[in-house]
Amino acid sequence: MPVIEMREALNQALKEEMTRDEKVFILGEEVAEYNGAYKVTKGLLDHFGPKRVIDTPISESGFTGLAVGAAMMGLRPVVEFMSFNFSLVAIDQIISNAAKMYYMSGGLYNIPMVMRGPNGAGPRVSSQHSHNMESVFAHFPGLHVMAPSTPRDAKGMLKAAIRCNDPVVFLENELAYNLKEEVPEGDFIIPIGKGDIKREGTDVTIIAWSRMMSLAKTAAEELAKDGINVELLDPRTLKPLDMDLIAQSVKKTNRVVVVEEGHFFSSLGAQVAESVYTNLFDYLDSPIARVYQSENPMPYAANLEAATLPSVDKIIKAVRQVTYKA
Amino acid sequence: MASVKKEMQSLSKEKMVEILEKMLTIRYFEEASIKAYQQKKIAGFLHTYIGQEAVGVGTLSHKLPQDSVVTTYRCHGLALTLGLDPKSGMAELFGKVTGCARGKGGSMHFFSKPHNFLGGHGIVGGQFGIGIGAAFKSNYDEDNAVSFIFFGDGATVQGTLHETMNLAALWDLPAIFICEDNQYGMGTANARAIANTDIASKAEAYGMKGHTLNGMDLNEVHSRMGEIVKEVRATRRPVLIHMKTYRYTGHSVSDAGLYRSKEEVDSYKLKDPTLAVAREMIENKMITEDELKALQKRIKATIQEAVDFAEESPEPPLEELTQHVFMDDVGNA
């Protein structure tokens, strides 16, 4: 099985789905002639031509709205946000139109549409280019939210997202595009709503997604040296959450750490913790610990940036806290 | 005016009766909806199309089945023009499961799939993208459809209009942007909100054609839109239409109308497009007084049937609450 980068895995998913279904097209800033700001769409223009790989002007609201209309008329758009920070410019189209359309039309108009691109902090890009958007999109009924942590998952999940008949917010990460892994060639699907155990363990479950899973893996390896056996659970789809898998794991380890890149308040991590408390309280041997970004906009200075984001050390500290092994 | 008279005479009697029937259907539907609102059978917002009938009916006479239409929350008139059953519309207003959106959309969100009616939309300027998306699909599939995008004067100062006119012009999308200028964005007169109230002139900035039409005159709307729709269908170039019109009723039923005078409202009632069409048809011997009365009676009966139907229809069963959030069942939800 070939070892490829995350960006190549995503590229394969796009290429395979566009080959499978001619209603699928991709549009966004710099996706065609520039080959994608992060090279996820590399080669697609040459392969499919300008009809289906479309460079847009810097009009997020305009082209996202266009995708909603095209989806209502039967096409299957994939919108690339060069960064999910820019999705805020289009948020009325995403929330009021894409998410609500099927319901408020009484089931007449579904929106088979994927919105994808890098989410979260890039390196040293300061306050306006570092938003973690998962809790915002997950709040509104009508959107699925997915966030792969590995190249293999990225490919199978994006293919599922494109085949979905409802709108999917697909959150990638700039710092994860060069992650490498063996990825099967050809068609395979990782269904929406299915999480994955990335490492089996017995002492504590770390629930983490996207780039935070990489930090959690490193933390788990460190903790193993001290005899703490960590289970890593990646929900992969953030909404709907795979509560069956979470329950299985928590019933085994009885301790939970939730790691997210986003802020503390009203966050997806808070929701995960709430779901565990409500459904699995009797299985917990200690309060849940959360690792998150501190409650301030992202600073530019290297030391402050490092201090505000989750880190391997912070995860290790949280695991020691819930396992009472300081 | 000469060309306008000519237009009416060039249309067949049958076509004119059909147009008048649509205009009266809208008028009576909206009057019935206001009455039902006052009786508390309808709640929430209710924005009626009264006074603007000539715009919708005159324009959509040129819609082909493959064309699409999207509009604002003032959406009942266009849906009825396209052929939405008044029963289905009234039931939606009553919040009944027999409504066109199963009672989930309400007054602002009428939809009709057979007519490619892509909805009434509640956010000012939120529907432009949907409209150019439908036009994009037409080019993608290489058919000859056009997309009718209706909006109010208030939306001309939203960024979405300018983004989507740029995209439509850039990509040769067959989008017909139709500004229904009823002179007020809610209670704010245009001069207090729009730096350049010559709406059609904004087209030039995007290399599009812009036209200003008297939206109170069915004949003018019908004849000019016929030419314009034909041109867009052939050239695939978007166009911006400024329809000058007026609504006699408030922005919504809760509007006390303190921002304009009774004299102003009355002056427009004298120019009522629906009455004007009926009057001219009688003058041109396309309909007799008796035939007109019979037609009015028949449409009033149809609307009453719609009200009765809405009243008697069941509310959505409670299991509808969580249906239609998603089309696909992915589990875990």
Side-chain angles (χ1 to χ4, degrees):
Chain A
M1 222 187 292
V3 173
I4 59 171
E5 289 188 347
M6 175 92 87
R7 55 166 59 82
E8 168 65 13
L10 292 162
N11 183 279
Q12 283 183 10
L14 289 168
K15 194 169 178 179
E16 288 172 20
E17 291 307 299
M18 289 177 74
T19 303
R20 190 185 56 79
D21 184 352
E22 65 178 25
K23 290 184 185 305
V24 179
F25 68 100
I26 183 158
L27 74 169
E29 292 150 5
E30 311 293 359
V31 298
E33 294 194 12
Y34 194 87
N35 277 297
Y38 299 101
K39 304 294 172 250
V40 171
T41 54
K42 190 176 175 184
L44 297 182
L45 173 65
D46 286 347
H47 193 82
F48 295 104
K51 177 184 159 183
R52 298 179 66 197
V53 184
I54 304 161
D55 277 328
T56 66
I58 305 166
S59 303
E60 287 86 2
S61 183
F63 67 73
T64 307
L66 182 152
V68 174
M72 290 177 82
M73 294 298 288
L75 298 182
R76 303 183 79 88
V78 177
V79 171
E80 175 172 311
F81 291 119
M82 186 187 288
S83 147
F84 256 92
N85 301 290
F86 310 156
S87 73
L88 284 167
V89 183
I91 201 140
D92 181 50
Q93 297 302 317
I94 302 171
I95 306 293
S96 298
N97 287 352
K100 307 296 172 74
M101 197 70 71
Y102 189 57
Y103 193 83
M104 74 180 187
S105 68
L108 291 180
Y109 285 103
N110 63 304
I111 309 293
M113 166 178 175
V114 176
M115 291 157 275
R116 50 154 291 273
N119 176 55
R124 307 291 304 282
V125 290
S126 189
S127 298
Q128 295 179 334
H129 277 248
S130 302
H131 306 315
N132 286 83
M133 297 298 296
E134 49 266 56
S135 62
V136 175
F137 293 122
H139 179 72
F140 293 95
L143 298 172
H144 296 310
V145 183
M146 303 176 89
S149 69
T150 74
R152 184 181 181 280
D153 286 355
K155 180 174 176 181
M157 287 165 64
L158 183 54
K159 287 167 75 82
I162 293 171
R163 292 184 200 183
C164 182
N165 288 309
D166 300 300
V168 178
V169 172
F170 195 90
L171 303 169
E172 300 159 11
N173 188 286
E174 182 188 337
L175 298 170
Y177 280 133
N178 61 359
L179 282 182
K180 285 185 177 175
E181 187 183 33
E182 281 193 342
V183 176
E185 289 174 290
D187 195 34
F188 70 98
I189 291 285
I190 293 174
I192 294 173
K194 293 287 175 240
D196 190 34
I197 301 296
K198 296 298 185 192
R199 183 186 194 278
E200 301 255 1
T202 50
D203 298 336
V204 56
T205 301
I206 297 180
I207 302 174
W209 54 92
S210 192
R211 192 174 75 84
M212 293 301 103
M213 181 48 75
S214 299
L215 303 189
K217 276 179 189 166
T218 308
E221 285 157 18
E222 287 296 311
L223 288 158
K225 293 173 192 166
D226 289 349
I228 300 175
N229 191 359
V230 174
E231 176 142 305
L232 296 176
L233 189 153
D234 182 354
R236 301 194 291 198
T237 297
L238 306 180
K239 190 182 185 187
L241 272 176
D242 189 346
M243 281 309 294
D244 292 344
L245 187 70
I246 291 173
Q248 262 175 41
S249 181
V250 173
K251 285 176 186 176
K252 180 170 68 170
T253 65
N254 311 112
R255 295 166 200 274
V256 176
V257 172
V258 184
V259 185
E260 67 186 316
E261 192 179 298
H263 298 287
F264 163 76
F265 197 84
S266 288
S267 74
L268 203 95
Q271 178 59 55
V272 171
E274 190 278 341
S275 295
V276 172
Y277 279 131
T278 301
N279 296 293
L280 300 160
F281 185 79
D282 291 342
Y283 296 93
L284 290 175
D285 287 344
S286 63
I288 295 169
R290 291 177 51 204
V291 181
Y292 42 79
Q293 189 180 148
S294 57
E295 288 286 297
N296 48 272
M298 182 65 73
Y300 168 69
N303 63 327
L304 298 181
E305 184 191 69
T308 198
L309 282 167
S311 64
V312 172
D313 285 346
K314 288 177 188 173
I315 297 169
I316 288 173
K317 197 176 157 200
V319 168
R320 291 192 187 285
Q321 180 188 317
V322 300
T323 53
Y324 306 122
K325 289 178 182 170
Chain B
M1 281 305 276
S3 67
V4 165
K5 289 278 183 212
K6 208 171 122 204
E7 164 72 15
M8 174 174 277
Q9 281 156 7
S10 73
L11 287 169
S12 68
K13 181 184 166 183
E14 290 70 30
K15 182 71 187 169
M16 280 312 300
V17 171
E18 186 191 317
I19 283 172
L20 179 61
E21 181 167 349
K22 284 187 170 172
M23 293 177 79
L24 289 172
T25 300
I26 297 170
R27 179 64 58 92
Y28 297 157
F29 181 95
E30 297 290 46
E31 286 173 354
S33 74
I34 292 170
K35 191 174 157 197
Y37 194 96
Q38 286 161 347
Q39 294 168 341
K40 301 195 187 309
K41 289 171 181 166
I42 299 173
F45 296 126
L46 184 72
H47 311 87
T48 72
Y49 204 60
I50 290 174
Q52 302 180 209
E53 295 93 339
V55 175
V57 175
T59 299
L60 295 179
S61 285
H62 307 290
K63 179 189 174 291
L64 298 180
Q66 64 269 34
D67 298 342
S68 62
V69 180
V70 72
T71 188
T72 68
Y73 41 79
R74 199 177 302 285
C75 63
H76 316 159
L78 298 186
L80 294 168
T81 303
L82 292 172
L84 181 82
D85 187 339
K87 285 180 179 165
S88 171
M90 195 59 77
E92 190 61 34
L93 296 181
F94 277 59
K96 300 299 182 70
V97 73
T98 50
C100 57
R102 305 184 67 78
K104 289 173 171 173
S107 168
M108 299 193 289
H109 308 298
F110 278 22
F111 290 84
S112 177
K113 203 153 191 180
H115 303 105
N116 289 331
F117 184 59
L118 304 177
H121 293 277
I123 308 295
V124 172
Q127 78 278 25
F128 290 117
I130 292 168
I132 64 162
F136 173 90
K137 186 267 185 187
S138 169
N139 282 1
Y140 196 90
D141 284 354
E142 295 173 21
D143 62 26
N144 71 344
V146 301
S147 172
F148 295 91
I149 309 171
F150 290 84
F151 55 101
D153 38 280
T156 63
V157 286
Q158 282 281 32
T160 45
L161 172 63
H162 299 272
E163 286 192 28
T164 56
M165 285 205 296
N166 181 62
L167 284 165
L170 190 68
W171 292 345
D172 289 325
L173 304 180
I176 303 171
F177 292 88
I178 301 157
C179 175
E180 299 189 79
D181 175 7
N182 61 27
Q183 305 180 33
Y184 294 87
M186 204 167 161
T188 302
N190 284 347
R192 297 201 293 127
I194 307 172
N196 167 16
T197 54
D198 179 3
I199 307 294
S201 73
K202 297 170 200 289
E204 199 185 337
Y206 301 100
M208 293 162 50
K209 284 188 186 172
H211 305 280
T212 305
L213 273 59
N214 178 4
M216 302 301 276
D217 185 336
L218 181 276
N219 301 310
E220 180 172 330
V221 173
H222 189 277
S223 85
R224 293 296 312 283
M225 286 311 294
E227 297 157 12
I228 291 165
V229 171
K230 202 169 156 190
E231 186 177 325
V232 173
R233 206 180 290 289
T235 64
R236 320 309 282 165
R237 289 295 298 165
V239 67
L240 173 62
I241 317 293
H242 181 188
M243 295 277 193
K244 293 193 164 177
T245 181
Y246 200 79
R247 58 169 157 77
Y248 316 138
T249 53
H251 168 74
S252 68
V253 286
S254 56
D255 176 356
L258 302 176
Y259 50 88
R260 57 185 185 179
S261 67
K262 185 174 180 299
E263 289 73 25
E264 178 183 310
V265 176
D266 288 346
S267 76
Y268 276 95
K269 282 187 179 168
L270 295 174
K271 299 175 193 162
D272 185 296
T274 305
L275 292 178
V277 167
R279 203 163 49 230
E280 284 182 48
M281 285 176 70
I282 288 169
E283 281 169 17
N284 288 319
K285 302 197 188 322
M286 290 179 137
I287 197 166
T288 66
E289 294 272 5
D290 286 347
E291 284 168 342
L292 176 61
K293 276 180 191 150
L295 181 67
Q296 288 169 326
K297 195 175 165 191
R298 180 163 64 77
I299 298 168
K300 278 184 178 160
T302 302
I303 298 300
Q304 186 56 48
E305 277 171 34
V307 171
D308 294 343
F309 174 80
E311 194 124 44
E312 290 156 15
S313 288
E315 290 182 313
L318 277 180
E319 55 267 28
E320 281 271 336
L321 180 64
T322 51
Q323 281 169 8
H324 305 122
V325 179
F326 295 108
M327 174 179 260
D328 292 353
D329 178 11
V330 300
N332 296 328

